[in-house]
Amino acid sequence: MMPFTFPKKVTAIFASLLFMGIVVNAQEEKLNSGDSTAFKAVISGLSFSDKIEQNTSQLVLPKPGAGYELSLYGSSRKPVIGLDGKVYQPLIDCEVQLVFKLKNTQNNRSYEFPQAIKVAGKFRPQSGINKQPFVIPSLQEWNGRTGNFKLLANSRIVIDSDAKKILEPAAKIFLEDLKKLTGYSGLSITKGKARPGDIVLGISSVQKNLGNEGYAMDIDEILHIRAPYYKGAFWATRTVLQLLEQDPSHNQIVKGEVRDYPKYEVRGLVLDVARKFFTLDFLKHYVKMMAYYKMGDFHIHLNDNGFKQFFGDDWNKTYSAFRLESSTYPELTSKDGHYTKSEFKELQKTAQLYGMRIIPEIDVPAHSLAFTKVFPEIGSKAYGMDHLDINNPKTYEVIDNVFKEYISGKDPVFVDPEVHIGTDEYAKKEAESFRAFTDHYIRFVQSFGKRVRLWGALTHAEGKTPVSVKDVTMNAWYNGYADPKEMLRLGYDQISTPDGWLYIVPAAGYYYDFLNVKSLYKNWEPNQIGDVVFPMGHPKIRGGMFAVWNDHVGNGITMKDVHQRVFPAMQVLAEKMWTGKTDQSVWDEFAKNSANIGEGPGLNMRGLVRSTTSDSLVLQDKLNAKGAKSIQLPLKEIGYPYSVAFTLRPTSAGNDNITLFKSENARVFLLKNDGLRLGFSRENYTDLFDFVFAPDKAYRVVLTGDEKGTWLYVDGKLVQKMEGKKLSFTNTKDKISQIQTLVFPLNYVGDAKNGVYGLVSDLKVYNRRLNETLITEVSK
């Protein structure tokens, strides 16, 4: 293996970009014109090449002139070109974006610049072999063979003997997922020699260049998975499951060889559970679903409050919540939904088995009404009770105790090594005090052995008070609050979380209700923060996260409505954060193929029901079981879009509130309320249609729904649209959308208390919204 040197001059294109100032330079603002001119002159004289040939083991950097040092600072594919300059031959030709740092040894100032280099792969393209299969995120490297690996009804997961202790948890999860996906109950875990149809899990120390999350797969008669660490091996099992899911029989995968690893380390979601409570089951579901897409960071925003103008301009009435059990301050814990310390700890430990990190956030000193309701004396008289008084020593006492409860001790409540301390949107006039507060909590949390994440705010809070940088990662969300170039110059690691691209605020009318996933797929990667674009592979850009903020408290949005918004974004952003843009990135193909991949084995929060017929009919039942109090159906529910048609014969006898359809998530009922009226409830929301049914008369009812609302048709005519409702307030011109959606419950017709026979009959369920003509037809 020969070392690689740079025989060519820097390309003209790169030079033009550099001198136009498009390339980001971390210290540009600190360089005078003489420094800048000198750096550019040295760079223009360096010799680079655009390709590394086979059998090259080491990158040898060109020598700059006297007084300068050149070093390799970043790499977009460290498993191909490491930061030590070692070259690892990929399976196929690939391009690596490198970031170099040129240092002036006389004044210690430095200049960063990018260079793209192609690396020759081990295999050349050839016809007649299996094409790279589709998964989300896409595989980084693939070399196809011919034929298929076939999973058998009695296939086994074979753990290498030296990896049993490490990989047994992954194997157990993998086994249960395989059984759910394939229906093969005879699958098992074993040790010893593998046979055709088996899947082998192993740890490979010689492949450490693949990193903490990378893995290799050899797919032949036996499927071999090798990874240097647990997380990479677990991610490989998710790839296998996605490949099997797309096979009609769920048992075949095309043969080939894989090397896969992420382009960015941080890939995740921020979920505001404070202004809208999400159950522990929801969070567990999300751990499994996010892991299915190799999204490794789940950031949970644990405290916040609503907007005062929607609560009569009264802080005492304004909604706020802190979602953790607290022994130190029991009155702090939300009464309408919270997680016990043991529950939250168990969630984090489960996430670790799924290759994920839970990033808990306690948000201070703004968004802090939950604390000031318990301790009014620490609320700001100048800026509002959602601001802590950061000049009050009592504030530090209380918040110290809050953090300490969850990060202290040998077995802390916050299990993972990183904790988010908030620090967002505080009054600009208090910049120096805010900076001191931020620095205090960085140091305080770090004193318990944790690394810190926080929101970018130091451009907004410009000042002289120093704020710690070491082991601090900043969510860069708005460049006016934290200029990414300046934060990089100061030394902060950053997570790209740009609000203009990645903020979902359901039904609020600002930011996004649904992210523009097509535009994201085509135009965004985590190296882009707002309008600032960093070189690919820059080591201070750890990755990206998108966010769901439930700003409008009580607006009818359910957990399933949030999920409806998150899922398509999850698929696209998993791709952008793991693989980035490649020559194979074609939106139309991605959009088509991604429809064949779900949430993971056994998971279907969307209530997706596929139809095998052209008319979209997914269920038909006469419901004529005489004497039945309740009838169980084969579907639990159906998600958006749908149409549910049935004959309803109301009666004036019996209870005032009769269940017609129900599931664990929702209920459709007939209520005696100024006449017989149809209604539905889900979570803490109930909606009632205005139409009044006459007793002892048969009606043909059709309910159709999507993510916008729910419509009622009676005897073929539209009688009410529950869509577009707005809530007004006497003290403000601002309004809130009231969402009236329903994932339709189908688990049971009727309930044990009320007979259903004759009340509901002739049920038909479709997985789309029927048009007016078809509704007329099914209403006959």
Short mmCIF file of all heavy atoms in Angstrom, two decimals, residues 548-586:
data_model
loop_
_atom_site.label_atom_id
_atom_site.label_comp_id
_atom_site.label_asym_id
_atom_site.label_seq_id
_atom_site.Cartn_x
_atom_site.Cartn_y
_atom_site.Cartn_z
N VAL A 548 -40.76 19.45 16.92
CA VAL A 548 -42.20 19.66 17.02
C VAL A 548 -42.46 20.50 18.27
O VAL A 548 -42.14 20.09 19.39
CB VAL A 548 -42.97 18.34 17.14
CG1 VAL A 548 -44.46 18.60 17.37
CG2 VAL A 548 -42.77 17.47 15.92
N TRP A 549 -43.02 21.70 18.06
CA TRP A 549 -43.37 22.59 19.15
C TRP A 549 -44.89 22.72 19.22
O TRP A 549 -45.52 23.14 18.26
CB TRP A 549 -42.74 23.97 18.93
CG TRP A 549 -41.24 23.92 18.84
CD1 TRP A 549 -40.47 24.09 17.73
CD2 TRP A 549 -40.34 23.66 19.91
NE1 TRP A 549 -39.15 23.95 18.04
CE2 TRP A 549 -39.03 23.69 19.38
CE3 TRP A 549 -40.50 23.40 21.28
CZ2 TRP A 549 -37.90 23.47 20.16
CZ3 TRP A 549 -39.38 23.18 22.05
CH2 TRP A 549 -38.10 23.23 21.50
N ASN A 550 -45.46 22.38 20.36
CA ASN A 550 -46.91 22.40 20.53
C ASN A 550 -47.34 23.72 21.18
O ASN A 550 -47.91 23.75 22.28
CB ASN A 550 -47.35 21.19 21.34
CG ASN A 550 -47.02 19.90 20.62
OD1 ASN A 550 -47.56 19.62 19.57
ND2 ASN A 550 -46.09 19.12 21.17
N ASP A 551 -47.07 24.82 20.46
CA ASP A 551 -47.26 26.17 21.01
C ASP A 551 -48.69 26.44 21.46
O ASP A 551 -48.91 27.08 22.49
CB ASP A 551 -46.89 27.22 19.95
CG ASP A 551 -45.39 27.31 19.70
OD1 ASP A 551 -44.65 26.44 20.21
OD2 ASP A 551 -44.97 28.23 18.99
N HIS A 552 -49.66 25.97 20.67
CA HIS A 552 -51.06 26.29 20.94
C HIS A 552 -51.69 25.19 21.78
O HIS A 552 -52.15 24.17 21.28
CB HIS A 552 -51.82 26.50 19.64
CG HIS A 552 -51.46 27.78 18.95
ND1 HIS A 552 -52.06 28.20 17.78
CD2 HIS A 552 -50.58 28.76 19.28
CE1 HIS A 552 -51.53 29.36 17.42
NE2 HIS A 552 -50.64 29.71 18.31
N VAL A 553 -51.70 25.44 23.07
CA VAL A 553 -52.19 24.45 24.03
C VAL A 553 -53.68 24.20 23.81
O VAL A 553 -54.46 25.14 23.63
CB VAL A 553 -51.94 24.94 25.47
CG1 VAL A 553 -52.53 23.96 26.48
CG2 VAL A 553 -50.45 25.15 25.71
N GLY A 554 -54.08 22.94 23.83
CA GLY A 554 -55.50 22.59 23.78
C GLY A 554 -56.17 22.86 22.46
O GLY A 554 -57.38 23.12 22.40
N ASN A 555 -55.43 22.77 21.35
CA ASN A 555 -55.99 23.11 20.04
C ASN A 555 -56.57 21.92 19.28
O ASN A 555 -56.84 22.02 18.09
CB ASN A 555 -54.94 23.81 19.17
CG ASN A 555 -53.76 22.89 18.82
OD1 ASN A 555 -53.63 21.81 19.39
ND2 ASN A 555 -52.94 23.33 17.89
N GLY A 556 -56.77 20.80 19.97
CA GLY A 556 -57.40 19.64 19.34
C GLY A 556 -56.42 18.68 18.69
O GLY A 556 -56.82 17.60 18.26
N ILE A 557 -55.16 19.07 18.58
CA ILE A 557 -54.15 18.18 17.99
C ILE A 557 -53.90 17.01 18.93
O ILE A 557 -53.62 17.20 20.12
CB ILE A 557 -52.84 18.97 17.72
CG1 ILE A 557 -53.02 19.93 16.56
CG2 ILE A 557 -51.68 18.02 17.47
CD1 ILE A 557 -53.03 19.30 15.19
N THR A 558 -53.98 15.82 18.40
CA THR A 558 -53.74 14.62 19.19
C THR A 558 -52.33 14.09 18.94
O THR A 558 -51.61 14.55 18.05
CB THR A 558 -54.75 13.51 18.82
OG1 THR A 558 -54.51 13.10 17.46
CG2 THR A 558 -56.18 14.01 18.96
N MET A 559 -51.95 13.09 19.71
CA MET A 559 -50.66 12.44 19.49
C MET A 559 -50.58 11.87 18.08
O MET A 559 -49.54 11.94 17.42
CB MET A 559 -50.44 11.34 20.52
CG MET A 559 -50.22 11.84 21.94
SD MET A 559 -49.85 10.53 23.13
CE MET A 559 -51.47 9.76 23.30
N LYS A 560 -51.68 11.33 17.60
CA LYS A 560 -51.70 10.77 16.25
C LYS A 560 -51.58 11.87 15.19
O LYS A 560 -50.99 11.66 14.13
CB LYS A 560 -52.96 9.93 16.04
CG LYS A 560 -52.90 8.58 16.76
CD LYS A 560 -54.13 7.76 16.49
CE LYS A 560 -54.02 6.38 17.15
NZ LYS A 560 -53.03 5.53 16.49
N ASP A 561 -52.14 13.03 15.48
CA ASP A 561 -51.99 14.15 14.55
C ASP A 561 -50.54 14.61 14.48
O ASP A 561 -50.03 14.94 13.40
CB ASP A 561 -52.88 15.32 14.98
CG ASP A 561 -54.36 15.05 14.75
OD1 ASP A 561 -54.69 14.42 13.73
OD2 ASP A 561 -55.18 15.44 15.60
N VAL A 562 -49.89 14.66 15.62
CA VAL A 562 -48.46 14.99 15.62
C VAL A 562 -47.68 13.95 14.83
O VAL A 562 -46.82 14.28 14.00
CB VAL A 562 -47.93 15.09 17.07
CG1 VAL A 562 -46.41 15.19 17.08
CG2 VAL A 562 -48.55 16.31 17.78
N HIS A 563 -47.99 12.70 15.06
CA HIS A 563 -47.30 11.62 14.36
C HIS A 563 -47.51 11.71 12.85
O HIS A 563 -46.60 11.43 12.06
CB HIS A 563 -47.80 10.27 14.87
CG HIS A 563 -47.16 9.10 14.22
ND1 HIS A 563 -45.81 8.86 14.27
CD2 HIS A 563 -47.69 8.09 13.49
CE1 HIS A 563 -45.53 7.75 13.61
NE2 HIS A 563 -46.65 7.27 13.12
N GLN A 564 -48.70 12.09 12.44
CA GLN A 564 -48.99 12.24 11.01
C GLN A 564 -48.05 13.27 10.37
O GLN A 564 -47.68 13.15 9.19
CB GLN A 564 -50.45 12.69 10.84
CG GLN A 564 -50.95 12.74 9.41
CD GLN A 564 -51.25 11.36 8.83
OE1 GLN A 564 -51.21 10.36 9.54
NE2 GLN A 564 -51.55 11.31 7.54
N ARG A 565 -47.66 14.26 11.14
CA ARG A 565 -46.75 15.29 10.66
C ARG A 565 -45.29 14.85 10.72
O ARG A 565 -44.48 15.21 9.87
CB ARG A 565 -46.96 16.57 11.49
CG ARG A 565 -48.27 17.28 11.18
CD ARG A 565 -48.79 18.11 12.34
NE ARG A 565 -49.96 18.91 11.92
CZ ARG A 565 -51.18 18.44 11.77
NH1 ARG A 565 -51.44 17.16 12.00
NH2 ARG A 565 -52.17 19.23 11.39
N VAL A 566 -44.97 14.07 11.73
CA VAL A 566 -43.58 13.67 11.95
C VAL A 566 -43.14 12.59 10.97
O VAL A 566 -42.00 12.64 10.46
CB VAL A 566 -43.40 13.17 13.40
CG1 VAL A 566 -42.06 12.43 13.57
CG2 VAL A 566 -43.48 14.33 14.38
N PHE A 567 -44.00 11.62 10.68
CA PHE A 567 -43.55 10.43 9.96
C PHE A 567 -42.93 10.72 8.59
O PHE A 567 -41.82 10.25 8.30
CB PHE A 567 -44.68 9.41 9.83
CG PHE A 567 -44.24 8.14 9.15
CD1 PHE A 567 -43.47 7.22 9.82
CD2 PHE A 567 -44.56 7.88 7.83
CE1 PHE A 567 -43.02 6.05 9.20
CE2 PHE A 567 -44.13 6.73 7.19
CZ PHE A 567 -43.36 5.82 7.89
N PRO A 568 -43.58 11.50 7.71
CA PRO A 568 -42.93 11.75 6.41
C PRO A 568 -41.62 12.52 6.56
O PRO A 568 -40.67 12.29 5.80
CB PRO A 568 -43.98 12.55 5.63
CG PRO A 568 -44.91 13.10 6.65
CD PRO A 568 -44.92 12.13 7.78
N ALA A 569 -41.56 13.41 7.54
CA ALA A 569 -40.32 14.14 7.78
C ALA A 569 -39.24 13.20 8.30
O ALA A 569 -38.06 13.33 7.96
CB ALA A 569 -40.57 15.27 8.78
N MET A 570 -39.63 12.24 9.14
CA MET A 570 -38.67 11.27 9.68
C MET A 570 -38.00 10.50 8.56
O MET A 570 -36.77 10.30 8.56
CB MET A 570 -39.40 10.30 10.62
CG MET A 570 -38.50 9.31 11.33
SD MET A 570 -37.51 10.06 12.63
CE MET A 570 -38.77 10.54 13.80
N GLN A 571 -38.77 10.05 7.58
CA GLN A 571 -38.19 9.29 6.48
C GLN A 571 -37.18 10.13 5.69
O GLN A 571 -36.07 9.67 5.41
CB GLN A 571 -39.30 8.79 5.55
CG GLN A 571 -40.15 7.68 6.14
CD GLN A 571 -41.07 7.08 5.10
OE1 GLN A 571 -41.74 7.79 4.36
NE2 GLN A 571 -41.10 5.76 5.02
N VAL A 572 -37.57 11.34 5.34
CA VAL A 572 -36.71 12.18 4.51
C VAL A 572 -35.47 12.63 5.29
O VAL A 572 -34.34 12.57 4.77
CB VAL A 572 -37.49 13.41 3.99
CG1 VAL A 572 -36.54 14.45 3.40
CG2 VAL A 572 -38.50 12.96 2.95
N LEU A 573 -35.64 13.05 6.53
CA LEU A 573 -34.51 13.57 7.28
C LEU A 573 -33.56 12.47 7.74
O LEU A 573 -32.36 12.71 7.92
CB LEU A 573 -35.01 14.41 8.45
CG LEU A 573 -35.67 15.72 7.98
CD1 LEU A 573 -36.36 16.42 9.14
CD2 LEU A 573 -34.66 16.65 7.34
N ALA A 574 -34.07 11.26 7.92
CA ALA A 574 -33.16 10.13 8.17
C ALA A 574 -32.19 9.97 7.01
O ALA A 574 -30.99 9.73 7.20
CB ALA A 574 -33.97 8.85 8.39
N GLU A 575 -32.72 10.11 5.81
CA GLU A 575 -31.89 10.02 4.61
C GLU A 575 -30.87 11.15 4.55
O GLU A 575 -29.68 10.93 4.29
CB GLU A 575 -32.79 10.07 3.37
CG GLU A 575 -32.06 10.08 2.04
CD GLU A 575 -31.50 8.73 1.65
OE1 GLU A 575 -31.83 7.73 2.32
OE2 GLU A 575 -30.72 8.67 0.69
N LYS A 576 -31.32 12.37 4.83
CA LYS A 576 -30.45 13.53 4.70
C LYS A 576 -29.37 13.57 5.77
O LYS A 576 -28.28 14.13 5.56
CB LYS A 576 -31.27 14.82 4.76
CG LYS A 576 -32.33 14.93 3.68
CD LYS A 576 -31.75 14.88 2.28
CE LYS A 576 -30.97 16.11 1.96
NZ LYS A 576 -30.51 16.15 0.55
N MET A 577 -29.65 13.00 6.95
CA MET A 577 -28.71 13.09 8.06
C MET A 577 -27.73 11.91 8.10
O MET A 577 -26.66 12.03 8.69
CB MET A 577 -29.47 13.20 9.38
CG MET A 577 -30.27 14.48 9.52
SD MET A 577 -31.24 14.50 11.05
CE MET A 577 -32.16 16.03 10.86
N TRP A 578 -28.09 10.79 7.50
CA TRP A 578 -27.19 9.63 7.47
C TRP A 578 -26.39 9.61 6.18
O TRP A 578 -25.16 9.51 6.19
CB TRP A 578 -28.00 8.34 7.61
CG TRP A 578 -27.19 7.07 7.52
CD1 TRP A 578 -26.71 6.46 6.38
CD2 TRP A 578 -26.78 6.24 8.61
NE1 TRP A 578 -26.04 5.31 6.70
CE2 TRP A 578 -26.06 5.14 8.05
CE3 TRP A 578 -26.95 6.28 9.99
CZ2 TRP A 578 -25.52 4.11 8.83
CZ3 TRP A 578 -26.41 5.26 10.78
CH2 TRP A 578 -25.71 4.20 10.21
N THR A 579 -27.07 9.73 5.05
CA THR A 579 -26.43 9.57 3.75
C THR A 579 -26.12 10.90 3.09
O THR A 579 -25.10 11.03 2.40
CB THR A 579 -27.34 8.74 2.81
OG1 THR A 579 -27.79 7.58 3.51
CG2 THR A 579 -26.59 8.33 1.56
N GLY A 580 -27.00 11.88 3.27
CA GLY A 580 -26.82 13.14 2.56
C GLY A 580 -27.22 13.00 1.11
O GLY A 580 -27.91 12.06 0.71
N LYS A 581 -26.79 13.93 0.29
CA LYS A 581 -27.12 13.90 -1.13
C LYS A 581 -26.06 13.09 -1.87
O LYS A 581 -24.87 13.27 -1.69
CB LYS A 581 -27.18 15.32 -1.71
CG LYS A 581 -27.64 15.35 -3.16
CD LYS A 581 -27.84 16.78 -3.63
CE LYS A 581 -28.25 16.84 -5.10
NZ LYS A 581 -29.50 16.13 -5.37
N THR A 582 -26.52 12.17 -2.72
CA THR A 582 -25.62 11.36 -3.53
C THR A 582 -26.08 11.40 -4.99
O THR A 582 -27.11 11.99 -5.32
CB THR A 582 -25.62 9.89 -3.06
OG1 THR A 582 -26.89 9.28 -3.40
CG2 THR A 582 -25.40 9.80 -1.56
N ASP A 583 -25.31 10.74 -5.85
CA ASP A 583 -25.69 10.68 -7.26
C ASP A 583 -26.99 9.89 -7.45
O ASP A 583 -27.64 9.99 -8.49
CB ASP A 583 -24.56 10.02 -8.08
CG ASP A 583 -23.33 10.90 -8.15
OD1 ASP A 583 -23.46 12.11 -7.93
OD2 ASP A 583 -22.23 10.36 -8.41
N GLN A 584 -27.35 9.07 -6.45
CA GLN A 584 -28.57 8.27 -6.54
C GLN A 584 -29.78 8.98 -5.94
O GLN A 584 -30.88 8.42 -5.89
CB GLN A 584 -28.38 6.93 -5.80
CG GLN A 584 -27.44 5.95 -6.50
CD GLN A 584 -25.98 6.34 -6.34
OE1 GLN A 584 -25.56 6.70 -5.25
NE2 GLN A 584 -25.22 6.27 -7.42
N SER A 585 -29.61 10.22 -5.50
CA SER A 585 -30.71 10.94 -4.85
C SER A 585 -31.69 11.49 -5.88
O SER A 585 -31.44 12.53 -6.50
CB SER A 585 -30.15 12.08 -3.99
OG SER A 585 -29.33 11.59 -2.96
N VAL A 586 -32.79 10.78 -6.07
CA VAL A 586 -33.83 11.19 -7.00
C VAL A 586 -35.15 11.22 -6.23
O VAL A 586 -35.61 10.18 -5.74
CB VAL A 586 -33.93 10.23 -8.20
CG1 VAL A 586 -35.05 10.67 -9.14
CG2 VAL A 586 -32.60 10.15 -8.94
#
